[in-house]
Amino acid sequence: MNYEELLRRTAAGAAPDTAEIARLLQAPDEAAEQALFAAAYEVKKEYCSNLVNLRGLIEFSNICTRDCLYCGIRKSNRKVSRYQMSIDEIVAAARCAGEFGYGSVVLQSGERSDPEFVEQVTEILRQIAALPWDLGVTLSCGEQSPETYRQWREAGAKRYLLRIESSDPEIFARIHPPECHYRDRVAALERLKTAGYQVGTGVMIGLPEQTWEHLAADIDFFRRMDADMIGMGPYLPQDDTPLGVQHPDLPGMAEQRLQMALRMIAVTRLVLRDVNIAATTALQAIDPESGRERGILAGANVIMPNVGDVAHRRDYQLYNGKPDLDENSAQVRQKLLDSLARIGERPRFNAHGDPEHFFTRMKQR
Ligand code: SAH
């Protein structure tokens, strides 16, 4: 079967095996790549409407107990000045998201699981639930116990993002410290499903020694996990991390990873269809003018603009080249709306923007 035929069949709904997914990712030329993006865009329109869902992103703390080898806020990085926004600051940021009509917020932080942190997050969730906007709340705070996941769910969180980072156990082991286990990560994802969340996962794209076959296996992992949401983006070396020092970027590599990430978005859309897929900030870090927009045109349907104070933005640099470091929430919003208008896309305002997949999954239980 040639590429065109494989693409046509997949777009029509045939489920490709992992080898076929790898072939889809390796579009042989520019025309094939454009056809891939166009097919994914059509599938998105059919399963998710043509509106872009917005989530106000609140990076509320960079204090972290983990030491992931790629991450700028890893515990051993002494160059980062650590912060934790107060509950009032966080709720004010959520209020800002409500006023902007974003409809949803994402609360993201470094990983902590001490009782004080767990209670703080619970209190934040309660206060956000009491705001005059009906905000859909997503958490992205790492691996937690079943009780914590349950408590946060009951306090009002409905979605949770926990990337597998790489579905290949060997790559996973190479980029994490010995105390982080692949099986724990998978168990945490299962736990989130049991607790009733809309569950998101994802990977970094263009990691050292990662091949198209690994990336195809990642998409197959998303399918097997029955994920509702996918957040993935290019890996970006960070100068103050072991992985960043070991494998510094050579010229052209960032653009290559961006290209890989766009293809991952497109093929993931073709295979998973009714899930939410984010056009992540890491795309924008490589192509500040149109990274996220290219993600939307390749099949993504979610964008997560920052809300909240610029004061801490510099201290939450997971990777080099984080965009919009000095722009306040209103400027970020205006820039986003302008750039969406430029590519003829429309945002969805004042709605949660849930992935259809979640409701289908619930019915099948
Ligand atoms: N501590 C939480 C959430 C914060 S990290 C957690 O671990 O889930 C959010 C995501 O940023 C991670 O899942 C990872 O995929 C991404 N990330 C971290 N460092 C990165 C880097 N150097 N390049 C690209 N993405 C990175």
Side-chain angles (χ1 to χ4, degrees), residues 64 68 70-73 108-111 140-143 161-163 165 185 203-204 233-238 241 282 316 318-320:
C64 193
C68 306
Y70 46 86
C71 185
I73 62 166
Q108 191 178 80
S109 69
E111 190 166 318
S140 176
C141 308
E143 290 173 32
L161 299 173
L162 183 71
R163 292 186 179 180
E165 311 300 356
R185 201 84 179 164
V203 294
M204 286 180 287
Y235 162 64
L236 294 154
Q238 213 279 1
T241 62
Y316 199 91
L318 307 176
Y319 42 73
N320 297 346

Side-chain angles (χ1 to χ4, degrees), residues 14 62 91 122 130 177 194 364:
N62 66 359
V91 176
T122 305
T194 308
Q364 283 164 351

Side-chain angles (χ1 to χ4, degrees), residues 90-138:
I90 298 166
V91 176
R95 200 183 290 273
C96 166
E99 273 161 11
F100 284 174
Y102 288 167
S104 282
V105 289
V106 177
L107 298 173
Q108 191 178 80
S109 69
E111 190 166 318
R112 280 174 61 189
S113 48
D114 53 285
E116 191 193 341
F117 179 76
V118 172
E119 287 311 316
Q120 268 170 3
V121 173
T122 305
E123 179 56 26
I124 293 159
L125 291 167
R126 291 201 183 113
Q127 293 198 21
I128 291 178
L131 290 175
W133 300 274
D134 173 26
L135 293 171
V137 182
T138 308

Side-chain angles (χ1 to χ4, degrees), residues 37 257-266 283 291 294-295 298:
F37 294 164
R257 282 198 219 92
L258 173 58
Q259 213 59 30
M260 289 168 89
L262 295 172
R263 290 179 179 206
M264 276 294 278
I265 289 173
L283 298 170
R294 289 162 76 183

Side-chain angles (χ1 to χ4, degrees), residues 278-299:
T280 54
T281 314
L283 298 170
Q284 197 191 356
I286 296 179
D287 177 355
E289 285 313 308
S290 57
R292 288 181 308 187
E293 294 71 15
R294 289 162 76 183
I296 294 295
L297 296 175

Side-chain angles (χ1 to χ4, degrees), residues 313-357:
R313 215 155 288 162
R314 276 178 197 283
D315 296 320
Y316 199 91
Q317 293 196 62
L318 307 176
Y319 42 73
N320 297 346
K322 180 178 180 178
D324 294 344
L325 282 176
D326 294 312
E327 295 187 15
N328 68 34
S329 307
Q331 291 168 313
V332 166
R333 176 178 193 269
Q334 196 52 52
K335 236 171 86 170
L336 172 60
L337 296 184
D338 291 347
S339 76
L340 285 179
R342 259 201 311 278
I343 57 166
E345 293 290 311
R346 280 184 304 140
R348 187 197 307 275
F349 286 113
N350 301 309
H352 286 193
D354 292 317
E356 212 37 56
H357 187 84

